Amino acid sequence: MATRDTSHNSDISKMKASADGSFNRLPSLFRDFIEPGGKFAPEKGRYHLYVSYACPWATRALIVRKLKGLEDIIPVTIVSPKMGANGWPFASVDAFPGAEADPLFGAEHVKDLYLRANPDYDRRFTVPFIWDKTNNTIVNNESSEIIRMLNTAFNDIIPADKATLDLYPAEHRAEIDSVNDWVYSEINNGVYRAGFATQQEAYESAVKIVFAGLDKVEKILTGKDYLVGNVLTEADVRLWVTIIRFDPVYVGHFKCNFNTIRAGYPEINRWMKALYWKNPAFKDSTDFDHIKTHYYWSHPQINGTRIVPAGPIPHIEPL
Ligand SMILES: N[C@@H](CCC(=O)N[C@@H](CS)C(=O)NCC(=O)O)C(=O)O
């Protein structure tokens, strides 16, 4: 067990903003790839996925794992949504409904696994990440790369109908990359830049960017079921995880309140609802209790009372 003080990396209420009050996300550090013939070969049962239902980045991985039918190949563990001074706890120390204990090492917190993989690790202890039971380390903790791996690495050992599902098809890659790029900075990370800003100007410039991004998406989705090429791609997955949290969390907690998705963005709302109600990979990866509790409980620097709002009612509208 580590004796080093890592609380500056585990306690989000101690997180430092830049001098101008803006939030800067640092790059993830474990960046290996699962690939046939590589150090991390695709094998059933060798890898373990750690996620929170609360976290949009982790939910990307949960959705793609289900879409690709990888449930038996890569088991998953759900942490408690109440991220405190030691970061994400497992159910053994915080038995929140739906949270689970760490099945591999009985770890109390996610940070214990990071420090087991690398005792000198000096970044945030984030979900999602993939653990390799053979090398006893973290393969990757960057969701954009995790979903790429899940899309292709296991194709030889899953049923053909799942193997042929390609969320990053060659003919659409350039467009997917370009959509991902601005969706990440303006929307996925944009809501965090608004919510974690510590000065008025930094907040205002961030929140305007979020809504300009949503206006762009609303136009793109008009009369369409998917963002790129009229097929489901990773671009939809990556945007969806932010949109599903928008009315329940980002409008209030992150002060992104120029409008709501349900009142102000009918095309985005239609697209979000269709994926949620018609595709179990999306609905089964969504837990509004974990989502709302996480944000409103875990950021006392933003919500000192830790009261979790009861609405919106409903969390997502019916079809
Ligand atoms: N770049 C990472 C970001 C992951 C991330 O920031 N996850 C958040 C939860 S939404 C986290 O675990 N934060 C813990 C902390 O910062 O202490 C990814 O996309 O995988």
Side-chain angles (χ1 to χ4, degrees):
M1 220 21 62
T3 48
R4 207 160 52 85
D5 177 16
T6 54
S7 63
H8 59 293
N9 282 325
S10 67
D11 187 343
I12 202 147
S13 68
K14 292 186 186 165
M15 187 172 63
K16 296 264 183 296
S18 308
D20 68 353
S22 59
F23 163 67
N24 285 319
R25 190 182 291 278
L26 289 173
S28 310
L29 275 193
F30 292 97
R31 307 298 284 269
D32 283 307
F33 268 78
I34 301 172
E35 53 199 350
K39 177 178 176 200
F40 300 96
E43 286 167 30
K44 181 175 175 172
R46 170 167 168 182
Y47 300 98
H48 197 88
L49 177 64
Y50 288 92
V51 299
S52 160
Y53 277 135
C55 169
W57 321 101
T59 305
R60 292 172 167 184
L62 272 179
I63 292 172
V64 173
R65 171 177 172 269
K66 270 206 182 265
L67 286 171
K68 293 290 294 185
L70 292 166
E71 291 98 319
D72 290 341
I73 293 186
I74 309 176
V76 70
T77 294
I78 312 284
V79 301
S80 161
K82 285 156 70 192
M83 199 178 84
N86 288 306
W88 295 105
F90 288 99
S92 50
V93 291
D94 185 31
F96 193 89
E100 296 167 329
D102 171 29
L104 299 187
F105 306 102
E108 294 188 343
H109 295 92
V110 157
K111 81 168 184 181
D112 304 337
L113 299 176
Y114 271 82
L115 296 174
R116 183 181 276 268
N118 176 3
D120 299 322
Y121 181 79
D122 196 24
R123 288 274 171 97
R124 305 208 63 84
F125 306 107
T126 56
V127 289
F129 62 97
I130 291 189
W131 185 272
D132 170 20
K133 292 189 239 173
T134 298
N135 291 307
N136 261 319
T137 192
I138 294 173
V139 182
N140 196 299
N141 69 335
E142 171 48 48
S143 62
S144 58
E145 294 178 354
I146 291 174
I147 63 174
R148 291 270 168 92
M149 278 179 245
L150 302 188
N151 185 46
T152 56
F154 297 89
N155 281 351
D156 290 343
I157 54 172
I158 56 178
D161 61 317
K162 300 291 187 191
T164 49
L165 172 71
D166 185 359
L167 297 166
Y168 190 51
E171 67 270 30
H172 297 310
R173 281 189 189 168
E175 197 180 342
I176 293 171
D177 288 345
S178 114
V179 169
N180 283 348
D181 209 40
W182 62 261
V183 163
Y184 173 81
S185 59
E186 298 178 25
I187 302 179
N188 302 139
N189 197 43
V191 294
Y192 281 86
R193 294 186 64 250
F196 282 154
T198 57
Q199 291 176 32
Q200 187 70 27
E201 266 176 39
Y203 155 70
E204 284 187 22
S205 84
V207 74
K208 284 179 195 154
I209 290 171
V210 169
F211 282 89
L214 291 177
D215 292 346
K216 246 190 283 182
V217 173
E218 180 74 3
K219 284 207 184 84
I220 293 176
L221 282 175
T222 299
K224 289 184 60 189
D225 290 334
Y226 303 106
L227 276 174
V228 175
N230 229 13
V231 286
L232 178 68
T233 69
E234 63 163 49
D236 296 293
V237 174
R238 290 173 48 131
L239 174 65
W240 193 89
V241 296
T242 299
I243 301 300
I244 194 74
R245 287 163 176 71
F246 205 87
D247 291 2
V249 172
Y250 301 144
V251 170
H253 186 64
F254 280 175
K255 305 184 182 78
C256 292
N257 63 356
F258 292 180
N259 218 327
T260 58
I261 298 298
R262 66 193 65 191
Y265 293 94
E267 295 292 319
I268 300 179
N269 199 30
R270 177 183 55 78
W271 163 88
M272 173 185 75
K273 289 191 303 181
L275 288 172
Y276 182 87
W277 292 111
K278 295 182 186 169
N279 191 329
F282 288 79
K283 185 167 185 288
D284 296 352
S285 303
T286 305
D287 184 313
F288 289 109
D289 197 18
H290 280 232
I291 290 173
K292 293 202 310 182
T293 301
H294 166 65
Y295 286 92
Y296 282 99
W297 191 93
S298 304
H299 305 145
Q301 73 276 33
I302 300 177
N303 185 39
T305 62
R306 290 184 154 162
I307 286 173
V308 181
I313 301 172
H315 290 130
I316 176 168
E317 295 172 333
L319 271 180

